[in-house]
Amino acid sequence: MNDNQNLVLVTGAGGFIGGSLVRELRARGCKRIRAVDVKPIDEWCQRFEDVENLSLDLNLKENCEKATQGAWDIYNLAANMGGMGFIEHNKALCMLSVLINTHMLQAALKNGTKRFFYASSACVYNGDKQKTFEAPSLKEEDAYPALAEDGYGWEKLFSERMCRHFMEDFSLTTRVARFHNVYGPWGTWFGGREKAPAAICRKVIEAKVSGKHEIEIWGSGVQTRSFMFIDDCTDGIQRIMNSEILEPINLGSSEAVTINQLVDIAEDIAGIKLKRNYDLNAPKGVNGRNSDNTLIQKYLHWEPNTSLRVGLEKTYRWIYDQYMAREKGEAGVVRESGIAR
C-alpha cells in the first residue's frame, strides 16, 4: 500500500474521471501526485496547484517514460473516448489508445513501478449477451468468447490482456476495473463526447431555458443501462487498487434504468415535462447492459451505492450552473479552489 509519501501518477488527469481521482487522492492525504494529460493544462476539467501537472502525449513512448519516472503507483486512465456518439464515429482513434497502455506498461516496468491500475470498460462484453432490453447483468466471465464493442471495446479488451501478461511474465502488479457509465459533476456535458446522463441533463436544461419543451432521444428510449456516480467510481478505484483482486472486475452500479426512465428523473429534477422525439438512426449502442456486482461484493464486501436520483440531481445542478455561466459569456467550467478558465 502507498504510504502517501510515494509518488502517484494519474494519466488522463485532465479529464473527468482522472481529475476526480486526483481530487480523491488529495483528500486521502496523498502528498506527491503527478497528473498528466495530452490537453493543455488550462483546458483540464480540474487542476490543483499542489500537484505536478504535465501536458504530455502518452501515445509516444518517450513521454510515457518521462511520466513514470519515480512513480510508485500508476493509475492509467488516459484514452481517446466519449459517449456512444463519439466511439461509434471514431473507431480507429479509439483503438489507437492501445499505444498508450502498451507504452505505459513498458515504462512502468522500466522505471520500477510497484502497482499499475488500468481503467477498462463494460464495452469489452460480448455483444450477443446484450441484445435484450431487459438489462442483462453482465458477469466478468461474459467478456469471452470475445465480441466486444467495435473499436473502443476491442482496444480495452486487448489492453486488459496486456496487463495480465505483464503481471504473469514480469511480476508487475496490475489491477483492472471495467467501468460502467460514469457520470457526475466535472464531466463533459457538451461537444460530442458527453455520455447519456450529462447529455440528457443538458437537453432538459436547454428545453427549460429556451421554453421549447421538446427533447431528442437517441434510439427508442427503452434501451437499458446502469450509471455509476463519480464518487463511487473514485472510491472503487482505490478499493480495487489496494485489494488482492487479480482479474478484471466490474465497477458499476447495479441499478438499471431505461433511457426513458433516465429522462423521467431529469424532468422531475427540473420540474418540467417534455415532448419526446426519438431519433432511431442515432448511435445507441447495445440494447441492454447492467453490472453484475457479485464478484466485487465477494472480494470487497462493497459495491457502488449512490442512487441514480441522488447522483443525477447533483449532476443536473452542476451542469445547470455551467450552462448558465456559458450563456452569460463567463466561458467555461468553474475550476477547483477558485482557479478559473
Side-chain angles (χ1 to χ4, degrees):
M1 182 178 295
N2 196 309
D3 65 4
N4 288 335
Q5 298 300 324
N6 295 312
L7 179 63
V8 175
L9 168 64
V10 178
T11 70
F16 166 42
I17 303 176
S20 298
L21 178 59
V22 171
R23 178 187 287 275
E24 175 73 7
L25 289 166
R26 290 169 70 251
R28 292 185 180 219
C30 188
K31 302 300 183 185
R32 300 177 60 210
I33 303 172
R34 179 178 295 148
V36 176
D37 200 282
V38 68
K39 296 188 291 291
I41 293 172
D42 65 357
E43 295 181 9
W44 291 15
C45 294
Q46 300 179 73
R47 63 180 186 273
F48 307 90
E49 295 298 330
D50 57 352
V51 169
E52 181 187 0
N53 299 309
L54 300 176
S55 178
L56 295 171
D57 182 357
L58 297 179
N59 287 287
L60 305 177
K61 187 175 181 180
E62 58 267 29
N63 285 340
C64 293
E65 292 179 354
K66 179 179 179 180
T68 57
Q69 286 179 359
W72 181 277
D73 284 346
I74 293 174
Y75 296 87
N76 186 26
L77 281 69
N80 281 305
M81 61 85 65
M84 183 51 60
F86 178 82
I87 65 176
E88 180 68 23
H89 294 117
N90 294 276
K91 293 175 183 176
L93 185 61
C94 287
M95 290 204 75
L96 282 171
S97 293
V98 74
L99 294 173
I100 298 173
N101 201 53
T102 302
H103 291 152
M104 284 296 298
L105 284 166
Q106 290 178 305
L109 199 62
K110 179 178 180 179
N111 285 322
T113 295
K114 302 302 179 185
R115 302 187 302 181
F116 187 100
F117 176 92
Y118 177 64
S120 187
S121 167
C123 289
V124 302
Y125 283 113
N126 186 312
D128 282 347
K129 296 180 181 292
Q130 302 171 75
K131 290 183 176 180
T132 173
F133 290 104
E134 298 303 316
S137 294
L138 298 167
K139 297 181 179 180
E140 285 76 4
E141 63 198 50
D142 291 331
Y144 296 94
L147 187 59
E149 185 85 45
D150 199 11
Y152 180 71
W154 278 106
E155 185 277 322
K156 290 295 186 183
L157 193 61
F158 176 84
S159 291
E160 286 188 5
R161 303 291 291 195
M162 286 288 287
C163 289
R164 169 184 166 179
H165 295 312
F166 267 68
M167 182 162 54
E168 292 173 341
D169 295 355
F170 305 121
S171 299
L172 175 64
T173 297
T174 62
R175 300 287 181 262
V176 176
R178 293 172 178 164
F179 294 173
H180 287 248
N181 297 312
V182 186
Y183 74 99
W186 305 100
T188 301
W189 56 278
F190 70 97
R193 292 189 185 233
E194 64 274 22
K195 294 190 175 183
I200 295 299
C201 285
R202 187 200 72 244
K203 289 178 180 181
V204 170
I205 292 165
E206 287 173 340
K208 184 170 184 175
V209 172
S210 69
K212 185 180 180 182
H213 290 182
E214 296 184 6
I215 185 171
E216 181 184 83
I217 297 173
W218 287 7
S220 63
V222 298
Q223 315 96 289
T224 52
R225 295 289 187 276
S226 65
F227 301 98
M228 174 172 54
F229 191 59
I230 183 61
D231 292 357
D232 287 339
C233 181
T234 56
D235 185 15
I237 289 170
Q238 290 293 290
R239 290 171 184 265
I240 293 167
M241 182 64 131
N242 293 321
S243 75
E244 298 301 319
I245 301 171
L246 300 180
E247 67 264 46
I249 191 165
N250 280 333
L251 182 55
S253 169
S254 59
E255 180 189 357
V257 296
T258 66
I259 299 302
N260 277 330
Q261 289 172 324
L262 179 64
V263 176
D264 288 342
I265 297 171
E267 287 179 335
D268 187 55
I269 292 168
I272 195 171
K273 292 298 292 183
L274 305 174
K275 178 179 181 293
R276 301 182 184 188
N277 302 314
Y278 296 94
D279 183 353
L280 301 182
N281 296 314
K284 51 188 176 290
V286 297
N287 290 335
R289 175 188 294 156
N290 192 18
S291 179
D292 185 304
N293 288 344
T294 303
L295 198 58
I296 198 168
Q297 288 175 332
K298 174 186 173 182
Y299 282 129
L300 301 180
H301 308 291
W302 174 90
E303 64 175 316
N305 56 16
T306 302
S307 73
L308 181 57
R309 168 67 197 220
V310 169
L312 198 66
E313 183 158 5
K314 293 178 180 179
T315 305
Y316 180 94
R317 302 301 178 199
W318 183 84
I319 293 176
Y320 182 85
D321 289 344
Q322 307 311 305
Y323 182 89
M324 296 309 294
R326 188 179 173 90
E327 287 293 291
K328 293 175 182 176
E330 295 171 6
V333 173
V334 178
R335 303 288 175 169
E336 186 274 341
S337 297
I339 302 170
R341 178 177 157 204

